[in-house]
Short mmCIF file of all heavy atoms in Angstrom, two decimals:
data_model
loop_
_atom_site.label_atom_id
_atom_site.label_comp_id
_atom_site.label_asym_id
_atom_site.label_seq_id
_atom_site.Cartn_x
_atom_site.Cartn_y
_atom_site.Cartn_z
N ALA A 823 -35.73 13.44 -107.68
CA ALA A 823 -35.40 12.80 -108.93
C ALA A 823 -34.04 13.15 -109.39
O ALA A 823 -33.22 12.21 -109.90
CB ALA A 823 -36.43 13.16 -110.02
N ASN A 824 -33.61 14.37 -109.23
CA ASN A 824 -32.27 14.76 -109.60
C ASN A 824 -31.28 14.11 -108.60
O ASN A 824 -30.14 13.88 -109.11
CB ASN A 824 -32.18 16.33 -109.49
CG ASN A 824 -32.56 16.97 -110.75
OD1 ASN A 824 -32.15 16.75 -111.81
ND2 ASN A 824 -33.61 17.85 -110.57
N ALA A 825 -31.62 13.87 -107.42
CA ALA A 825 -30.75 13.38 -106.37
C ALA A 825 -30.43 11.88 -106.66
O ALA A 825 -29.48 11.38 -106.14
CB ALA A 825 -31.35 13.52 -104.95
N GLN A 826 -31.14 11.27 -107.50
CA GLN A 826 -30.89 9.81 -107.83
C GLN A 826 -29.69 9.63 -108.76
O GLN A 826 -29.16 8.67 -108.93
CB GLN A 826 -32.12 9.23 -108.46
CG GLN A 826 -33.45 9.26 -107.69
CD GLN A 826 -33.28 8.67 -106.25
OE1 GLN A 826 -32.74 7.64 -105.94
NE2 GLN A 826 -33.72 9.46 -105.23
N ASP A 827 -29.30 10.87 -109.38
CA ASP A 827 -28.10 10.78 -110.30
C ASP A 827 -27.00 11.40 -109.61
O ASP A 827 -27.06 12.44 -108.90
CB ASP A 827 -28.57 11.57 -111.58
CG ASP A 827 -27.37 11.82 -112.47
OD1 ASP A 827 -27.12 11.03 -113.37
OD2 ASP A 827 -26.70 12.92 -112.20
N SER A 828 -25.88 10.83 -109.74
CA SER A 828 -24.64 11.30 -108.97
C SER A 828 -24.33 12.90 -109.36
O SER A 828 -23.91 13.58 -108.43
CB SER A 828 -23.39 10.39 -109.17
OG SER A 828 -23.12 10.38 -110.54
N GLY A 829 -24.35 13.18 -110.65
CA GLY A 829 -24.17 14.54 -110.89
C GLY A 829 -25.19 15.46 -110.43
O GLY A 829 -24.95 16.54 -110.00
N GLY A 830 -26.40 15.04 -110.48
CA GLY A 830 -27.53 15.87 -110.01
C GLY A 830 -27.35 15.99 -108.53
O GLY A 830 -27.74 16.99 -107.91
N ALA A 831 -27.07 14.98 -107.83
CA ALA A 831 -26.96 15.00 -106.36
C ALA A 831 -25.88 15.90 -105.89
O ALA A 831 -26.01 16.74 -104.96
CB ALA A 831 -26.62 13.52 -105.82
N ALA A 832 -24.64 15.98 -106.65
CA ALA A 832 -23.61 16.89 -106.32
C ALA A 832 -24.11 18.38 -106.57
O ALA A 832 -23.86 19.25 -105.78
CB ALA A 832 -22.46 16.67 -107.26
N SER A 833 -24.83 18.58 -107.67
CA SER A 833 -25.38 19.95 -107.95
C SER A 833 -26.27 20.34 -106.87
O SER A 833 -26.25 21.49 -106.46
CB SER A 833 -26.02 19.81 -109.32
OG SER A 833 -26.70 21.03 -109.57
N LEU A 834 -27.07 19.36 -106.49
CA LEU A 834 -28.10 19.68 -105.42
C LEU A 834 -27.48 19.95 -104.07
O LEU A 834 -27.87 20.82 -103.35
CB LEU A 834 -29.06 18.46 -105.29
CG LEU A 834 -30.23 18.63 -104.30
CD1 LEU A 834 -31.03 19.81 -104.48
CD2 LEU A 834 -31.10 17.35 -104.40
N GLU A 835 -26.36 19.19 -103.75
CA GLU A 835 -25.73 19.48 -102.48
C GLU A 835 -25.18 20.87 -102.53
O GLU A 835 -25.17 21.55 -101.44
CB GLU A 835 -24.58 18.44 -102.32
CG GLU A 835 -24.95 17.12 -101.78
CD GLU A 835 -23.81 16.03 -101.58
OE1 GLU A 835 -22.75 16.63 -101.27
OE2 GLU A 835 -24.14 14.97 -101.94
N SER A 836 -24.62 21.33 -103.62
CA SER A 836 -24.02 22.71 -103.71
C SER A 836 -25.10 23.68 -103.58
O SER A 836 -24.94 24.70 -102.77
CB SER A 836 -23.45 22.77 -105.09
OG SER A 836 -23.06 24.17 -105.30
N ALA A 837 -26.28 23.50 -104.15
CA ALA A 837 -27.37 24.39 -103.99
C ALA A 837 -27.99 24.53 -102.56
O ALA A 837 -28.27 25.43 -102.05
CB ALA A 837 -28.58 24.00 -104.97
N LEU A 838 -28.02 23.27 -101.98
CA LEU A 838 -28.49 23.24 -100.57
C LEU A 838 -27.47 23.94 -99.67
O LEU A 838 -27.88 24.66 -98.69
CB LEU A 838 -28.66 21.86 -100.11
CG LEU A 838 -29.87 20.98 -100.64
CD1 LEU A 838 -29.75 19.50 -100.46
CD2 LEU A 838 -31.19 21.69 -100.30
N ALA A 839 -26.24 23.85 -99.84
CA ALA A 839 -25.20 24.50 -99.01
C ALA A 839 -25.41 26.04 -99.07
O ALA A 839 -25.21 26.71 -98.11
CB ALA A 839 -23.88 24.10 -99.56
N GLN A 840 -25.81 26.43 -100.25
CA GLN A 840 -26.00 27.93 -100.42
C GLN A 840 -27.15 28.34 -99.68
O GLN A 840 -27.31 29.51 -99.31
CB GLN A 840 -26.26 28.32 -101.87
CG GLN A 840 -24.85 28.11 -102.70
CD GLN A 840 -25.22 28.28 -104.23
OE1 GLN A 840 -26.11 28.92 -104.60
NE2 GLN A 840 -24.38 27.60 -104.95
N HIS A 841 -28.18 27.54 -99.35
CA HIS A 841 -29.47 27.88 -98.65
C HIS A 841 -29.41 27.41 -97.19
O HIS A 841 -30.30 27.61 -96.46
CB HIS A 841 -30.61 27.30 -99.42
CG HIS A 841 -30.81 27.99 -100.73
ND1 HIS A 841 -30.24 27.65 -101.84
CD2 HIS A 841 -31.69 28.99 -101.07
CE1 HIS A 841 -30.45 28.46 -102.83
NE2 HIS A 841 -31.55 29.24 -102.42
N GLN A 842 -28.32 26.83 -96.79
CA GLN A 842 -28.18 26.21 -95.45
C GLN A 842 -28.47 27.30 -94.32
O GLN A 842 -29.24 27.13 -93.33
CB GLN A 842 -26.79 25.61 -95.17
CG GLN A 842 -26.78 24.78 -93.96
CD GLN A 842 -27.20 23.35 -94.15
OE1 GLN A 842 -26.84 22.66 -95.05
NE2 GLN A 842 -28.05 22.80 -93.34
N GLY A 843 -27.91 28.45 -94.41
CA GLY A 843 -28.02 29.51 -93.40
C GLY A 843 -29.07 30.48 -93.60
O GLY A 843 -29.30 31.45 -92.92
N SER A 844 -30.00 30.26 -94.68
CA SER A 844 -31.05 31.16 -95.00
C SER A 844 -32.04 31.30 -93.81
O SER A 844 -32.36 30.40 -93.13
CB SER A 844 -31.77 30.71 -96.27
OG SER A 844 -32.83 31.49 -96.52
N SER A 845 -32.56 32.50 -93.67
CA SER A 845 -33.49 32.82 -92.65
C SER A 845 -34.87 32.89 -93.22
O SER A 845 -35.77 33.41 -92.50
CB SER A 845 -33.04 34.14 -91.88
OG SER A 845 -33.10 35.16 -92.87
N LEU A 846 -35.07 32.45 -94.38
CA LEU A 846 -36.29 32.65 -95.02
C LEU A 846 -37.50 32.00 -94.27
O LEU A 846 -38.69 32.48 -94.31
CB LEU A 846 -36.31 31.91 -96.54
CG LEU A 846 -35.79 32.73 -97.69
CD1 LEU A 846 -35.78 31.90 -98.94
CD2 LEU A 846 -36.65 34.06 -97.89
N LEU A 847 -37.16 30.87 -93.63
CA LEU A 847 -38.26 30.17 -92.84
C LEU A 847 -38.39 30.46 -91.42
O LEU A 847 -39.14 29.90 -90.75
CB LEU A 847 -38.17 28.70 -93.07
CG LEU A 847 -38.31 28.12 -94.46
CD1 LEU A 847 -37.99 26.73 -94.48
CD2 LEU A 847 -39.57 28.43 -95.08
N GLU A 848 -37.53 31.49 -91.01
CA GLU A 848 -37.53 31.76 -89.53
C GLU A 848 -38.46 32.98 -89.23
O GLU A 848 -38.45 34.02 -90.02
CB GLU A 848 -36.19 32.15 -89.13
CG GLU A 848 -35.28 30.96 -89.16
CD GLU A 848 -33.68 31.40 -88.91
OE1 GLU A 848 -33.58 32.40 -88.42
OE2 GLU A 848 -32.87 30.42 -89.19
N GLY A 849 -39.31 32.81 -88.18
CA GLY A 849 -40.18 33.98 -87.77
C GLY A 849 -41.25 34.32 -88.79
O GLY A 849 -41.71 35.38 -88.79
N GLY A 850 -41.74 33.36 -89.52
CA GLY A 850 -42.75 33.63 -90.50
C GLY A 850 -42.22 33.94 -91.86
O GLY A 850 -41.32 34.78 -91.88
N VAL A 851 -42.61 33.42 -92.97
CA VAL A 851 -42.21 33.68 -94.27
C VAL A 851 -42.75 34.99 -94.86
O VAL A 851 -43.88 35.32 -94.71
CB VAL A 851 -42.56 32.51 -95.18
CG1 VAL A 851 -42.13 32.80 -96.69
CG2 VAL A 851 -41.98 31.28 -94.76
N ASP A 852 -41.81 35.87 -95.36
CA ASP A 852 -42.27 36.97 -96.04
C ASP A 852 -41.82 36.80 -97.44
O ASP A 852 -40.77 36.74 -97.86
CB ASP A 852 -41.49 38.23 -95.48
CG ASP A 852 -41.89 39.60 -96.07
OD1 ASP A 852 -42.76 39.49 -97.08
OD2 ASP A 852 -41.37 40.60 -95.68
N ILE A 853 -42.86 36.68 -98.35
CA ILE A 853 -42.66 36.39 -99.78
C ILE A 853 -41.93 37.52 -100.51
O ILE A 853 -41.04 37.29 -101.38
CB ILE A 853 -43.97 36.30 -100.50
CG1 ILE A 853 -44.69 34.97 -100.12
CG2 ILE A 853 -43.77 36.36 -102.03
CD1 ILE A 853 -43.77 33.71 -100.41
N ASP A 854 -41.85 38.81 -99.87
CA ASP A 854 -41.13 39.78 -100.40
C ASP A 854 -39.63 39.58 -100.32
O ASP A 854 -38.76 40.28 -100.85
CB ASP A 854 -41.50 41.17 -99.78
CG ASP A 854 -42.96 41.67 -100.14
OD1 ASP A 854 -43.38 41.29 -101.28
OD2 ASP A 854 -43.49 42.32 -99.28
N GLN A 855 -39.29 38.78 -99.35
CA GLN A 855 -37.77 38.50 -99.15
C GLN A 855 -37.25 37.33 -100.05
O GLN A 855 -36.11 37.14 -100.08
CB GLN A 855 -37.58 38.04 -97.69
CG GLN A 855 -37.78 39.15 -96.59
CD GLN A 855 -37.53 38.76 -95.22
OE1 GLN A 855 -37.26 37.67 -94.96
NE2 GLN A 855 -37.72 39.72 -94.29
N VAL A 856 -38.15 36.70 -100.70
CA VAL A 856 -37.77 35.65 -101.59
C VAL A 856 -37.04 36.20 -102.95
O VAL A 856 -37.76 37.12 -103.50
CB VAL A 856 -38.92 34.72 -101.96
CG1 VAL A 856 -38.55 33.68 -103.02
CG2 VAL A 856 -39.43 33.97 -100.67
N ASP A 857 -36.04 35.82 -103.35
CA ASP A 857 -35.31 36.16 -104.43
C ASP A 857 -35.88 35.31 -105.65
O ASP A 857 -35.45 34.15 -105.90
CB ASP A 857 -33.70 36.02 -104.39
CG ASP A 857 -33.06 36.41 -105.62
OD1 ASP A 857 -33.57 36.68 -106.59
OD2 ASP A 857 -31.78 36.38 -105.51
N ALA A 858 -36.72 35.94 -106.43
CA ALA A 858 -37.38 35.17 -107.65
C ALA A 858 -36.39 34.85 -108.66
O ALA A 858 -36.59 33.79 -109.35
CB ALA A 858 -38.55 36.07 -108.18
N THR A 859 -35.30 35.70 -108.90
CA THR A 859 -34.36 35.33 -109.85
C THR A 859 -33.58 34.01 -109.50
O THR A 859 -33.37 33.23 -110.29
CB THR A 859 -33.34 36.52 -110.00
OG1 THR A 859 -34.03 37.74 -110.17
CG2 THR A 859 -32.36 36.28 -111.08
#
Side-chain angles (χ1 to χ4, degrees):
N824 278 301
Q826 304 305 312
D827 170 89
S828 58
S833 172
L834 181 54
E835 280 180 35
S836 170
L838 288 170
Q840 292 171 25
H841 291 79
Q842 191 85 48
S844 172
S845 59
L846 275 178
L847 296 177
E848 291 171 17
V851 173
D852 180 359
I853 290 298
D854 292 333
Q855 292 179 359
V856 174
D857 181 351
T859 304

